Every structure is written in C-alpha cells, then in structure tokens.
Amino acid sequence: MGVSLNGKAVAENLRNEIRKSIEVKKANGEKVPCMANILVGNDGGSLHYVNNQNKVCADLGIEVKSIYLDEKITEEEITKVICDLNNDNNINGIILQLPLPKHLDEAKITSLISFEKDIDGLNTVSVGKLYKGEKCFIPCTPRGIIELIKSTGEKIEGKHAVVIGRSNIVGKPVAQLLLNENATVTICHSRTDNLKEICSKADILVAAIGKPGFVTEEFVKENAIVIDVGTTAVNGKLAGDVCFDRVIEKASFVTPVPGGVGAMTTTMLLKNLCEGIE
Ligand code: NAP
C-alpha cells in the first residue's frame, strides 16, 4: 500500500520558507516583491483564483496589485495596461488570468508580458528559454509536480518517466522539466499505441489527460510514483485522472485530487515571484 502525497503539506512547507524570506527582506529594509494580477471580465473560476492569490499574498507579506478590467476591453487598451506594468519598477511579476473573453487573442496578449515578469512562465519567450535551458520562470503546475516528486525523497535521475498528455501548459513543460532532472522521458497522447503497456513500465507516471479515473492499476508499475494532474468536475466534485483507491494499492506514492497537484499552484506562482530570474 502506497502513500497519499499531500500537496497541501508540501505547499505549506514552501510557504513557510517564503514567509521567512519576506520577513528577512523586511527586517533588512529591502523591497518586498509585488505581484500584479489581472482579471478581465467575471469568470467565476478566475475570480476565485485571484481571491485565493490575494489571501495567500496577505498571509505571506507579499504585495499585490489586483487589476479588474471590463470584459469588453479592447486589445489596444489591455496592451497598454500590460505595457505599463512591464515598465513599472514596483511590479516584479504579472499574472493574467485565463480564459480571456473570446474577442481577445490569448496567445498574443499573454506574450505581451515581459519574460522578466512572466511568473506564470507560459509566454512564448519563457517557453523558448525553458527548452533551451536558459533562465526563465517555470510554469507553476509543472514546477509543482517536480516539487511533489522531490518531496518523496526518491531520485528522479535515471528513472523512466512517462507523461500522458502533451498540452502546452502541463504535458510538454513537465516532460521537459523531467528531462532536465535527467529522467528518461516518454510523452504519450491520444494517438499513442500500447498506452497501458508503456505506462506500466514507468517509475514516474504523470497523468494530465482530463479523463476521470482513466489510469487504473493496470497502467501502473509496482512502487511507481503516480502524479494525477487531472481535475474534472463530476457531480459538483473534482475528479482526477487516476483511480486513486486502486492505484495506491500498487504504487509507492499517489497524489490525491483534490489536495495534490492543485494545492501547489498558487504557492509555486509566489515562489517564482519571490525568487525572480536574475
Ligand atoms: P488538454 O490540453 O485537454 O490536454 C489533454 C491531453 O491528454 C492531450 O495531449 C491529449 O492528447 C491527451 N489525451 C486525451 N485523451 C487521451 C487518451 N485517451 N489517451 C492518452 N492521452 C489522451 O488538457 P491540459 O490543459 O493539459 O489539462 C489536463 C488535465 O489537467 C485537465 O483535467 C485539467 O483540468 C487539469 N489541470 C490541472 C491543473 C492543476 O493545477 N491541478 C492545472 C492545469 C490543468 P492529444 O494531444 O492527442 O489530444
């Protein structure tokens, strides 16, 4: 029987470290990091995320400037808001909540954020730098996944890691980060032949699919570390991609949903903000 890998506890430890580093900065009279979070329109999920970020920032002593924009804002207007924040020396990191209203081009607008302030690590320059091994902000969910794997105390180097999913926000960056940690990485997707067989050879299995309960014990090697990124609303509750109760019988560690990967996201964002990239 494996262990449930508690993202809340790992996140809490990281937050304590951040809190201490802020206290030291304050005691030394140094500037405290300041994040700008931008919300366009009234998306309920995004509003919840902004409120949560603001609560955690207040708890850790981090400054935050929330910018609420009308959902009818033009591309020209939002471009000006982002450029002003890029040029504002008081702002260390910018996060633009997605999704944006349909008339705005998400890829274009997110790439307006200067990479030095792109604490979400998702704009084109940040992604390019990540793949070239240059300094940049690491996207929050993939970074949280690596932190969770490291929290087990198991080595990543030399292990066979299989990632199911090849999205730009989870699958591809987490595969790149595992490669940077010297794992041997296989990326699987909806066209992969023999998926179950490939997964069952993984020492580390990351499921980022969005299909509740897709990964059963037959996909899992004895004593593997299994990271469940999936979050799908089912009957008002969040469901992961992994059949937790069955998989934990075979794996060494499994992340629960909720309370696993998702519990790390805001903390990783603020860790990015506080560390900077210089
Ligand atoms: P996505 O863009 O929809 O990508 C899903 C990936 O799964 C695609 O690459 C797809 O393959 C693959 N896939 C779909 N069906 C498959 C199948 N039957 N066999 C193998 N691969 C299959 O989703 P995403 O944005 O990466 O998110 C994935 C999940 O993670 C979602 O549930 C999302 O809500 C969740 N998520 C959670 C967090 C968090 O903080 N916990 C953060 C981000 C995302 P193709 O490329 O071939 O279509």
Side-chain angles (χ1 to χ4, degrees):
M1 177 88 170
V3 172
S4 175
L5 196 44
N6 187 341
K8 280 188 194 160
V10 176
E12 189 51 42
N13 285 339
L14 293 171
R15 280 185 211 172
N16 287 338
E17 285 172 19
I18 296 172
R19 195 180 286 108
K20 275 187 204 136
S21 77
I22 300 290
E23 280 165 9
V24 169
K25 275 188 195 297
K26 283 186 177 164
N28 292 340
E30 290 172 35
K31 182 187 174 305
V32 167
C34 180
M35 171 175 79
N37 50 16
I38 309 170
L39 176 63
V40 185
N42 308 305
D43 180 80
S46 297
L47 184 61
H48 174 79
Y49 195 38
V50 167
N51 289 341
N52 183 254
Q53 285 166 12
N54 293 356
K55 205 172 95 194
V56 180
C57 282
D59 174 40
L60 300 183
I62 292 172
E63 287 179 14
V64 59
K65 177 176 179 177
S66 294
I67 298 161
Y68 301 97
L69 301 173
D70 190 277
E71 69 178 335
K72 294 200 175 93
I73 191 165
T74 64
E75 185 177 312
E76 207 178 1
E77 287 165 335
I78 192 169
T79 298
K80 178 164 181 346
V81 171
I82 293 174
C83 290
D84 287 350
L85 291 170
N86 282 340
N87 294 327
D88 184 340
N89 289 335
N90 189 47
I91 302 291
N92 304 92
I94 303 169
I95 175 150
L96 176 65
Q97 303 301 325
L98 301 178
L100 292 178
K102 294 241 177 328
H103 69 281
L104 296 171
D105 178 342
E106 274 187 8
K108 190 171 170 190
I109 309 278
T110 48
S111 281
L112 293 171
I113 299 171
S114 91
F115 90 89
E116 289 99 341
K117 298 190 179 185
D118 179 31
I119 48 173
D120 216 12
L122 291 174
N123 85 20
T124 308
V125 177
S126 301
V127 171
K129 284 181 175 286
L130 175 66
Y131 285 84
K132 289 185 84 176
E134 293 174 12
K135 279 207 141 230
C136 63
F137 286 113
I138 309 290
C140 304
T141 300
R143 188 172 183 192
I145 292 169
I146 299 295
E147 290 283 348
L148 278 170
I149 298 171
K150 287 186 173 170
S151 77
T152 66
E154 299 288 332
K155 257 177 46 180
I156 299 178
E157 181 165 323
K159 297 287 165 60
H160 183 202
V162 173
V163 178
I164 321 177
R166 55 175 165 178
S167 71
N168 289 327
I169 61 164
V170 190
K172 284 182 201 158
V174 83
Q176 183 64 39
L177 293 177
L178 286 162
L179 185 63
N180 293 353
E181 296 287 339
N182 296 317
T184 302
V185 183
T186 306
I187 305 178
C188 300
H189 45 79
S190 67
R191 315 287 175 89
T192 300
D193 286 339
N194 305 321
L195 180 67
K196 211 179 269 183
E197 194 192 327
I198 295 168
C199 293
S200 68
K201 297 204 168 71
D203 303 304
I204 298 166
L205 180 62
V206 179
I209 318 165
K211 291 204 154 59
F214 184 90
V215 174
T216 58
E217 71 278 15
E218 295 153 317
F219 286 71
V220 175
K221 182 177 167 180
E222 206 72 52
N223 293 322
I225 297 173
V226 180
I227 306 292
D228 188 352
V229 191
T231 46
T232 309
V234 178
N235 300 328
K237 285 186 175 169
L238 279 191
D241 290 338
V242 174
C243 212
F244 184 89
D245 293 342
R246 284 156 63 183
V247 166
I248 201 160
E249 296 289 333
K250 200 169 178 185
S252 58
F253 295 93
V254 188
T255 59
V257 176
V261 173
M264 300 285 291
T265 310
T266 300
T267 303
M268 299 323 297
L269 182 77
L270 298 177
K271 195 166 162 61
N272 274 349
L273 176 81
C274 294
E275 286 176 356
I277 48 169
E278 309 203 80

